Amino acid sequence: MTSFISHLTVDCADAYSLSQWWKPVIGYEDVPGDPNLPGHDECMIVDPAGKGVPVLFIEVPEGKSVKNRLHLDLRPRVDLRDTEIERLIAHGATVFGDHRGQYGPGTGWVTLADPEGNEFCVLRSEAETAAQQAPTEAADA
């Protein structure tokens, strides 16, 4: 027997505001028929396609005090990594660590933080990863 992930829970100071901030970041929406409202101490957002893991924001009295032990790694659906990073910074994310180029040109990721300081990483898009692997595979053939 195994288990499955029901949802990911994020402890926060303001569940409504943070759920609203994350919706355009990952393309999620409120649970149909159960809208999140200001003052709610628990707010869930879901993938409208029903494929992703729901995210539940729960208000807790204590603030974030140390580095996350668990974080999200986001991969842009369409845009390039750097375009997505610019979009998220314009949306209010802050840069926590920049690891681009760490393993050579075009590699790496950037660690950002949401408005409450929760870290998450932005990876290269699948197209960027495939484009970088294609020359290597062609050389091996």
Side-chain angles (χ1 to χ4, degrees):
M1 287 287 191
T2 63
S3 297
F4 66 93
I5 298 172
S6 169
H7 56 275
L8 174 71
T9 301
V10 178
D11 291 349
C12 58
D14 185 339
Y16 175 75
S17 293
L18 204 56
S19 71
Q20 297 305 297
W21 189 86
W22 274 98
K23 285 193 312 190
V25 171
I26 57 177
Y28 275 29
E29 60 187 23
D30 292 349
V31 174
D34 187 15
N36 297 319
L37 298 171
H40 283 178
D41 58 1
E42 293 186 5
C43 295
M44 183 174 277
I45 59 175
V46 297
D47 179 0
K51 296 181 179 180
V53 174
V55 181
L56 176 63
F57 299 88
I58 296 182
E59 292 183 6
V60 296
E62 62 279 347
K64 182 177 175 294
S65 60
V66 297
K67 183 182 182 311
N68 295 7
R69 296 293 307 261
L70 175 72
H71 68 266
L72 300 176
D73 284 339
L74 305 181
R75 191 174 301 277
R77 295 179 193 269
V78 178
D79 288 327
L80 301 177
R81 174 197 59 204
D82 293 349
T83 304
E84 182 69 358
I85 290 166
E86 290 172 13
R87 181 182 79 87
L88 294 172
I89 290 170
H91 183 57
T94 55
V95 176
F96 188 80
D98 191 335
H99 308 283
R100 288 178 281 196
Q102 182 169 321
Y103 301 106
T107 65
W109 65 94
V110 173
T111 304
L112 300 175
D114 72 15
E116 290 202 15
N118 300 301
E119 297 108 27
F120 61 98
C121 295
V122 180
L123 311 174
R124 294 177 296 152
S125 68
E126 289 180 340
E128 288 174 289
T129 302
Q132 188 167 15
Q133 291 173 348
T136 304
E137 291 171 1
D140 291 341

